Amino acid sequence: MSLGALRPSPLVEQATAHLREQITNGEWPVGTKLPGETTLAQTLGVGRSTVREALRALAGAGLVQARQGSGVFVIATTPEEDWSTRLRRSAITDVYEVRMLLEVEAAQLAAERRTEENVTALHAALAGRRDAAGNGDTAFVEADIALHRAVVAAAHNPVLMALFTEFMPVLQQRLLDLVKLLGLRSDDPNHGDTGHAALVDAVVRGDAEAAGRALREELRETLALLRSL
């Protein structure tokens, strides 16, 4: 096996790519114990710290596993898909079911935890959605997502916000497709305003039950439309 020395930049990414190639090409089958850090460092022409970071990246991709006192072993030849890739490949109905679980809980927490700053942001986001009704579908969907983001932000849970942020690109594109495909705004350019207004009102009033109910009803309606396609 000949890996070849690496160019000077960026070393960790290059080391990771070279080692991954050996695994995915079958040079190191499942169950193989990788050479030690010192050997890999000498072969690749990098420091041991670079090799260590590359091995961590491979472990994160589900390709290798370090075993205490034994070394690093190949456990798969196909890397696991990252979360963003998996979302893009998933059926939109599956994504929406998870979105419902996440956002309904977020809305209820938002009603309990919202601050005056959140209240201002929510009113601004609702106004922005209404203003966007006079624009094209892309601007309207962006404003819709911005309102939902403001609700999640009011929950003051960084993990919920991180999860919603991961969902946002997929949601935005799929919602845009849905609006265009079904012509949802042809009769009502501000489609869904009543439900969104009820959601904001419930959060602002601190009514967690009403906030969860308003959002659940809205998302269920959208999910039903998606399942009808």
Side-chain angles (χ1 to χ4, degrees), residues 20-181:
R20 182 189 293 114
E21 185 177 358
Q22 296 299 312
I23 295 171
T24 58
N25 286 348
E27 295 289 338
W28 289 330
V30 172
T32 299
K33 179 182 177 179
L34 270 58
E37 287 182 4
T38 300
T39 300
L40 289 174
Q42 290 174 348
T43 305
L44 295 170
V46 298
R48 289 181 60 186
S49 61
T50 298
V51 170
R52 199 171 298 121
E53 289 299 320
L55 292 175
R56 284 177 184 155
L58 294 176
L63 293 173
V64 302
Q65 181 182 67
R67 297 175 186 169
Q68 183 101 25
S70 300
V72 178
F73 292 81
V74 177
I75 59 173
T77 56
T78 303
E80 295 178 352
E81 290 183 331
D82 60 29
W83 180 237
S84 297
T85 301
R86 187 169 298 179
L87 277 177
R88 289 195 299 270
R89 292 178 180 272
S90 297
I92 186 57
T93 50
D94 292 337
V95 173
Y96 245 80
E97 286 177 354
V98 176
R99 180 193 181 189
M100 188 181 302
L101 294 172
L102 184 154
E103 282 199 62
V104 169
E105 180 65 23
Q108 293 172 338
L109 289 175
E112 297 170 355
R113 301 175 178 177
R114 79 277 183 266
T115 63
E116 287 302 317
E117 184 178 353
N118 292 134
V119 169
T120 300
L122 285 165
H123 284 310
L126 181 61
R129 190 180 187 279
R130 287 170 171 168
D131 289 342
N135 299 322
D137 290 339
T138 299
F140 182 73
V141 169
E142 288 177 351
D144 179 86
I145 293 292
L147 173 54
H148 285 270
R149 189 182 189 283
V151 172
V152 177
H156 294 280
N157 184 311
V159 177
L160 277 175
M161 178 54 73
L163 287 171
F164 182 75
T165 300
E166 288 285 350
F167 274 78
M168 280 174 59
V170 175
L171 291 175
Q172 187 164 314
Q173 184 56 55
R174 299 297 179 86
L175 279 175
L176 183 58
D177 293 342
L178 182 66
V179 167
K180 290 180 176 180
L181 183 63

